[in-house]
């Protein structure tokens, strides 16, 4: 084992300059080179109880892969990660490591934690560029499983089952696989080429992907089981149904859900010259909400040429649900934060174009059920923001389509599918995980749920 | 990829295609639609299922060439392929239990009205069809409508074919003479559906409009197709496309439908210039 590097700080991530990158869709963070990766890997002190592994929802053997990086054995490091994670190039980029693996890292007690996410990303990217060994297709066990939805939950579940020898078919409603990884998270945070290659990796394991397939409409769950012989079904259909505020003017031209704005931008590439899909190029845009999706929409808006982009959020900076890093990136890119501010009306002209957003000032009162201080309106504090486009990033709920078309599938009030701790639903042989079960959450939690369900499906089929 | 088995021009701007999509053909019901993407750079556009051959696995679409995406689609040859073809989407039109219905279609909306009229006719409903076009050159599907209608009215705005006037002319005449219907089902331009709704409202006749807002995914994940119905926000792609016409905010829908007018004009121009180059 080489000597440890006791530098209290992480090696910084090379990035595009904020005022250059806010005009292009290229990836913001540029990744470590080999020498930096080796130096960062040496910061891991290989402590005995491995708290980082417990902090990872898919339990990557972090110290083991980092030790290999420190020795310059990058392909071997990839093999260690790949044993438990199907999408390392994605996770290394979009996981909130500060609350997961890195949040638990021993080095974080006295300084900065080891850059685990950055190292995972480095290893996955290195493999994509230099890895030569063709993946070995596992021996088939003759059992068929259907996965509905090709987002992080579905892809992880499919990957894990394929590695166990199952014949897996993934059904996706859109024309590209990846779910939120392709339509939601922008190119500048997660290049779509990376997602495509991760999906190709799954195909090499034998996973079949059927795009343009809306399950519930073109085939029901029952037909998948009865007519097509799938012994189990995993539902990873996500939470894509956007919420609106219910304020006057929301039907106006120039009011978008963040999902629509991001889908036009990321999936349909509306920012590219050759794309047939239009998008409104507004100059002054308000994004309502404070989560990661709000940050993504605001940063896309800037890149699409908006001069002024506001984040409008009803609580204060401390309560912003977005990752700290995303908030910092947004600020560096000159996104303006209007905090303790809540919209009450979207103002329009006679042709129904947006001409202003009427808001009211808020103050924080007593904590509510979520433990956060409840925002309270300040009487008489209404004011109007001069904007011509409003993007609503208020969160999403599970799509009602599957519930409507699948008799006996138990769901909660907002449409979340009810499961036990292993992802088992109220229907025999049907499992679910990810946002479809929890409501909108994170990529890595969805992957963790896909992993748990894959194990449960394996036990169910083998125990029949 | 989805094969275009047959391609045929119904009039100078309206095209019919039979597309091989066996799973959709097996399932689609009147009132449902598909979303397609003609090629890799293409936009996702919604088109109603105009008919199915369940045995042969074919889905018929009928579309008007109005902008970039439909121009691209129209250039694909018979035997060629559409990149993506997704469906059946939306909630089927509720026709069960209806004894006497007027189907009112306008322009290319008639292609959407036809399967509804046909489904009604097949279940024994008495069908009165009223169809309207700008002029004789644009008339489509006349014989098909006649075949499934007990009464049939053909209208043109300029009187070049059938009776002169819009679809509300015979509708009002029937209503004023005391005719009643279990339902009026209307499909066509927003302005036409708005007037049909206004005509039936005083008589309290249940009226259903098939809405055609801008769509992207067509599966309920973006809300681009939202319509205000009875003061509530509905997504046409999952809650509709059919809604109670007396509750729809047609004015808002008309304004929303003009969101990308400038962009569409540019796209159209670009395509037309491409055509010119090919001719030269």
């Amino acid at each position: 084992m080489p000597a440890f590097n006791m530098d209290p700080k992480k090696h910084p991530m090379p990035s595009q300059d904020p005022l250059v990158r806010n005009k292009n869709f290229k990836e913001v963070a540029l990744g470590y080179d080999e020498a930096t990766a080796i130096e960062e890997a040496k910061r891991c002190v290989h402590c005995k109880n491995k708290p980082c592994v417990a902090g990872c929802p898919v339990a990557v053997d972090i110290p083991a892969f980092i030790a290999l990086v420190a020795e310059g054995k990058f392909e071997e490091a990839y093999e260690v990660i790949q044993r438990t994670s199907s999408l390392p190039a994605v996770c290394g980029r979009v996981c909130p490591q500060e609350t997961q693996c890195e949040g638990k890292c021993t080095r974080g007690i006295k300084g900065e934690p080891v850059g685990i996410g950055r190292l995972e990303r480095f290893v996955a990217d290195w493999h994509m560029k230099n890895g030569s060994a063709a993946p070995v297709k596992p021996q088939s066990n003759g059992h068929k499983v259907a996965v509905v939805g090709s987002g992080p939950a579905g892809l992880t579940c499919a990957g894990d089952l394929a590695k166990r020898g199952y014949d897996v078919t993934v059904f996706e409603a859109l024309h590209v696989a990846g779910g939120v990884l392709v339509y939601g998270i922008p190119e500048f945070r997660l290049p779509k080429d990376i997602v495509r290659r991760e999906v190709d990796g799954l195909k090499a394991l034998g996973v079949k992907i059927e795009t343009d397939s809306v399950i519930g409409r073109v085939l029901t769950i029952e037909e998948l089981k009865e007519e097509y012989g799938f012994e189990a079904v995993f539902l990873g259909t996500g939470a894509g149904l956007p919420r609106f505020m219910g304020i006057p003017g929301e039907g106006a031209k120039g009011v978008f859900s963040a999902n629509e704005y991001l889908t036009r931008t990321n999936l349909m590439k509306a920012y590219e010259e050759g794309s047939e899909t239009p998008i409104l190029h507004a100059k002054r845009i308000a994004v309502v909400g404070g989560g990661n999706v709000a940050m993504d929409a605001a940063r896309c808006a800037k890149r699409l040429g908006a001069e002024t982009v506001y984040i409008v959020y009803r609580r204060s900076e401390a309560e912003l649900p977005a990752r700290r890093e995303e908030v910092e990136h947004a600020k560096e890119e000159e996104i303006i934060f209007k905090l303790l501010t809540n919209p009450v009306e979207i103002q329009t002209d006679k042709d129904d174009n947006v001409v202003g957003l009427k808001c009211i000032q808020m103050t924080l009162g007593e904590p509510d059920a979520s433990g956060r201080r409840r925002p309270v309106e300040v009487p008489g504090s209404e004011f109007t923001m001069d904007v011509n486009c409003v993007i609503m990033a208020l969160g999403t709920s599970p799509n009602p389509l599957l519930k409507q078309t699948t008799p006996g599938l138990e769901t909660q009030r907002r449409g979340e599918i009810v499961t036990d701790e292993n992802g088992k639903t109220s229907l025999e042989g049907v499992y679910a995980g990810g946002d479809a079960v929890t409501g909108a959450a994170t990529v890595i939690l969805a992957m963790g749920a896909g992993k748990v369900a894959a194990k449960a499906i394996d036990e169910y089929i083998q125990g029949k | 990829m989805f094969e275009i088995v047959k391609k045929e021009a119904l009039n100078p701007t309206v095209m019919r295609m039979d597309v091989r999509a066996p799973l959709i053909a097996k399932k689609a019901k009147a009132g449902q639609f598909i979303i397609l993407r003609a090629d890799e750079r293409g936009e996702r556009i919604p088109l109603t299922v105009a008919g199915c051959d369940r045995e042969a696995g074919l889905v018929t679409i009928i579309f008007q060439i109005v902008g970039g995406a439909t121009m691209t689609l129209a250039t694909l040859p018979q035997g060629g392929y559409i990149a993506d073809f997704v469906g059946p989407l939306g909630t089927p039109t509720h026709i069960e239990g209806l004894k006497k219905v007027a189907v009112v279609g306008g322009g290319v909306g008639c292609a959407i009205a036809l399967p509804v009229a046909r489904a009604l006719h097949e279940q024994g409903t008495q069908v009165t069809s009223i169809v309207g076009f700008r002029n004789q050159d644009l008339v489509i599907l006349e014989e098909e409508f006649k075949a499934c209608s007990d009464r049939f009215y053909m209208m043109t705005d300029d009187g070049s074919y059938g009776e002169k006037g819009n679809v509300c002319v015979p509708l009002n005449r029937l209503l004023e003479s005391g005719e009643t219907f279990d339902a009026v089902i209307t499909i066509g331009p927003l302005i036409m559906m708005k007037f049909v709704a206004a005509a039936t409202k005083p008589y309290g006749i249940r009226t259903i409009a098939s809405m055609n807002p801008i769509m992207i995914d067509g599966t309920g994940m973006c809300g681009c197709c939202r319509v205000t119905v009875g003061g509530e926000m509905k997504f046409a792609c999952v809650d509709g496309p059919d809604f109670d016409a007396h509750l729809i905010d047609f004015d808002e829908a008309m304004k929303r439908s003009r969101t990308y007018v400038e962009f569409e004009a540019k796209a159209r121009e670009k395509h037309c210039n491409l055509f010119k180059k090919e001719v030269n």
Side-chain angles (χ1 to χ4, degrees):
Chain A
M1 179 64 60
F4 295 134
N5 175 335
M6 292 314 288
D7 191 335
K9 294 206 157 211
K10 272 191 227 182
H11 289 79
M13 186 68 141
S15 304
Q16 277 196 72
D17 181 83
L19 300 185
V20 172
R21 73 181 189 231
N22 71 4
K23 292 171 192 67
N24 69 54
F25 275 85
K26 291 190 198 123
E27 192 168 17
V28 166
L30 303 171
Y32 284 159
D33 58 23
E34 292 185 8
T36 314
I38 289 171
E39 277 312 303
E40 182 62 25
K42 287 180 183 168
R43 291 186 64 238
C44 173
V45 295
H46 295 273
C47 54
K48 211 164 53 189
N49 44 12
K50 307 178 182 180
C52 53
V53 179
C56 172
V58 298
V60 168
D61 190 347
I62 293 164
F65 99 75
I66 288 186
L68 290 163
V69 174
E71 293 173 43
K73 295 178 177 165
F74 306 133
E75 188 61 19
E76 289 91 331
Y78 177 77
E79 282 162 19
V80 169
I81 299 174
Q82 215 254 346
R83 283 208 296 266
T84 48
S85 170
S86 296
L87 310 165
V90 173
C91 288
R93 287 174 165 82
V94 304
C95 272
Q97 287 102 5
E98 66 275 19
T99 60
Q100 296 178 337
C101 54
E102 293 182 22
K104 301 273 166 49
C105 175
T106 308
R107 292 293 310 265
I109 300 168
K110 281 189 174 163
E112 288 185 357
V114 176
I116 301 167
R118 294 170 185 187
L119 288 173
E120 182 182 31
R121 169 191 162 139
F122 166 79
V123 168
D125 288 359
W126 193 92
H127 168 78
M128 276 189 192
K129 220 165 121 194
N130 306 297
S132 51
V136 184
K137 201 163 153 181
Q139 173 96 41
S140 165
N141 68 9
H143 295 286
K144 277 173 78 181
V145 179
V147 170
V148 182
S150 68
L155 291 179
T156 302
C157 186
D160 274 29
L161 286 169
K163 285 174 195 165
R164 289 180 162 97
Y166 287 90
D167 176 358
V168 184
T169 305
V170 180
F171 295 93
E172 166 58 44
L174 291 171
H175 57 268
V176 190
V180 75
L181 306 176
V182 292
Y183 76 75
I185 302 174
E187 181 79 18
F188 55 82
R189 279 218 288 139
L190 177 62
K192 299 311 146 215
D193 195 41
I194 300 270
V195 182
R196 188 181 56 74
R197 292 206 205 186
E198 297 268 42
V199 172
D200 285 347
L202 290 178
K203 287 185 188 160
L205 289 175
V207 173
K208 297 186 212 49
I209 300 203
E210 297 284 343
T211 52
D212 294 337
S213 302
V214 184
I215 298 304
R217 294 278 191 223
V218 73
L219 292 171
T220 62
I221 304 290
E222 200 188 319
E223 286 168 326
L224 288 176
K225 291 176 69 184
E226 302 302 321
E227 288 178 34
Y228 289 82
F230 290 105
E231 293 165 71
V233 180
F234 175 76
L235 306 176
T237 45
L241 188 77
R243 295 192 195 127
F244 286 85
M245 293 190 83
I247 58 172
E250 270 183 317
K253 289 188 278 180
V255 181
F256 295 87
S257 74
N259 261 10
E260 180 187 347
Y261 195 79
L262 291 171
T263 300
R264 284 181 184 275
T265 309
N266 302 320
L267 179 70
M268 306 311 296
K269 304 249 179 289
Y271 60 87
E272 279 180 1
E273 187 59 35
S275 171
E276 276 186 2
T277 302
I279 195 159
L280 217 59
H281 290 273
K283 289 292 170 207
R284 295 177 310 283
I285 299 185
V287 180
V288 183
N292 289 322
V293 174
M295 301 304 140
D296 285 344
R299 296 170 72 195
C300 280
K302 195 83 184 175
R303 285 163 172 77
L304 283 160
E307 284 156 11
T308 314
V309 181
Y310 300 101
I311 290 279
V312 177
Y313 180 58
R314 64 195 184 128
R315 300 183 202 246
S316 70
E317 172 135 9
E319 288 82 16
L320 280 170
R323 283 182 72 186
R324 195 65 231 163
E325 185 187 332
E326 300 306 322
V327 174
E328 292 309 323
H329 278 153
K331 285 183 173 172
E332 287 166 13
E333 292 170 13
E334 301 188 320
I335 309 292
I336 303 163
F337 284 70
K338 299 287 275 185
L339 300 165
L340 289 165
T341 302
N342 205 29
V344 290
E345 184 187 343
I346 294 159
Q347 297 172 332
T348 55
D349 66 11
K350 65 175 174 34
D351 293 320
D352 241 11
N353 296 302
V354 175
V355 292
L357 182 65
K358 191 171 161 195
C359 295
I360 188 160
Q361 214 64 61
M362 310 295 276
T363 179
L364 290 181
E366 295 301 310
D368 63 13
S370 74
R372 295 182 301 176
R373 293 177 66 194
R374 184 196 306 273
V376 183
E377 292 185 354
V378 178
S381 65
E382 287 90 348
F383 66 100
T384 296
M385 294 174 64
D386 175 21
V387 295
N388 53 11
C389 173
V390 178
I391 299 169
M392 294 293 180
L394 308 160
T396 52
S397 313
N399 194 306
L401 185 63
L402 262 188
K403 179 185 164 51
Q404 284 168 11
T405 55
T406 312
L409 182 67
E410 207 180 306
T411 59
Q412 299 189 51
R413 192 176 54 87
R414 274 187 160 161
E416 297 92 345
I417 300 170
V418 176
T419 67
D420 70 5
E421 70 280 5
N422 292 318
K424 190 177 179 314
T425 70
S426 56
L427 293 173
E428 165 84 16
V430 180
Y431 293 75
D435 289 4
V437 170
T438 57
T442 62
V443 167
I444 190 68
L445 285 175
M447 294 179 57
K451 197 165 199 62
V452 168
K455 187 164 171 281
I457 288 169
D458 181 38
E459 285 163 6
Y460 164 73
I461 291 178
Q462 300 306 331
K464 271 208 294 194
Chain B
M1 301 287 275
F2 297 81
E3 190 193 350
I4 301 165
V5 175
K6 193 175 163 206
K7 176 184 175 183
E8 165 190 17
L10 297 186
N11 74 29
T13 63
V14 176
M15 188 82 81
R16 174 198 157 117
M17 283 180 178
D18 292 345
V19 180
R20 191 177 307 286
L23 291 180
I24 303 175
K26 202 173 143 195
K27 277 284 167 69
K29 294 204 173 93
Q32 289 191 300
F33 65 94
I34 56 94
I35 293 249
L36 66 77
R37 204 168 65 112
D39 63 20
E40 280 306 309
R41 292 175 314 105
E43 186 182 1
R44 294 170 67 95
I45 55 166
L47 289 174
T48 301
V49 174
C52 296
D53 183 336
R54 296 194 204 276
E55 303 268 291
L58 301 180
V59 174
T60 303
I61 50 170
I62 295 178
F63 60 96
Q64 188 161 20
I65 303 165
V66 283
T70 41
M71 282 180 187
T72 306
L73 182 59
T75 57
L76 298 178
Q78 183 165 312
Y81 289 85
I82 295 173
D84 298 285
F85 199 79
V86 196
L89 301 171
T91 309
T93 302
H94 294 291
I95 56 170
E96 297 81 13
L98 299 176
K99 298 272 178 281
K100 193 176 170 191
V101 173
V103 176
V104 183
V108 76
C110 291
I112 309 170
L114 177 64
V116 176
R118 201 178 267 153
L120 286 163
H121 179 71
E122 279 166 12
Q123 68 170 16
T125 303
Q126 194 190 94
V127 178
T128 300
S129 295
I130 305 173
V131 297
F133 300 91
R134 279 214 309 281
N135 60 52
Q136 183 174 12
D137 290 343
L138 301 178
V139 169
I140 55 170
L141 304 172
E142 182 180 0
E143 291 313 313
E144 287 88 340
F145 262 106
K146 280 182 177 162
C148 60
S149 307
D150 296 276
R151 281 184 295 182
F152 177 77
Y153 298 88
M154 166 66 70
M155 307 298 297
T156 50
D157 291 349
D158 63 358
S160 54
Y161 190 64
E163 193 183 337
K164 184 178 160 94
N166 65 40
V167 291
C168 288
V169 172
L171 180 64
N172 278 323
R173 205 162 56 212
L174 288 167
L175 294 172
E176 279 160 22
S177 72
E179 276 278 352
T180 57
F181 297 101
D182 294 339
V184 171
I185 299 175
T186 180
I187 303 162
L190 288 164
I191 187 79
M192 181 200 90
M193 296 194 285
K194 181 186 172 181
F195 281 116
V196 169
T200 57
K201 193 152 190 211
Y203 298 91
I205 294 174
R206 190 152 78 87
T207 302
I208 298 151
S210 175
M211 298 299 281
N212 47 9
I214 303 172
M215 284 190 193
I216 304 173
D217 62 289
T219 62
M221 59 162 262
C222 85
C224 177
C225 64
R226 60 193 188 273
V227 178
T228 305
V229 182
E232 274 183 59
M233 183 188 290
K234 298 282 183 190
F235 291 0
C237 71
V238 286
D239 302 320
D242 292 350
F243 295 106
D244 182 338
H246 294 148
L247 299 177
I248 294 169
D249 185 340
F250 280 107
D251 294 330
E252 179 190 87
M254 281 188 266
K255 286 170 184 163
R256 280 187 67 76
S257 72
R258 298 183 54 78
T259 305
Y260 296 104
V261 165
E262 276 176 49
F263 184 98
E264 283 158 6
K266 268 187 219 150
R268 199 161 45 230
E269 209 170 287
K270 211 162 82 187
H271 270 265
C272 292
N273 288 336
L274 283 179
F275 285 134
K276 275 182 214 152
K277 258 182 229 157
E278 280 166 18
V279 174
N280 294 339

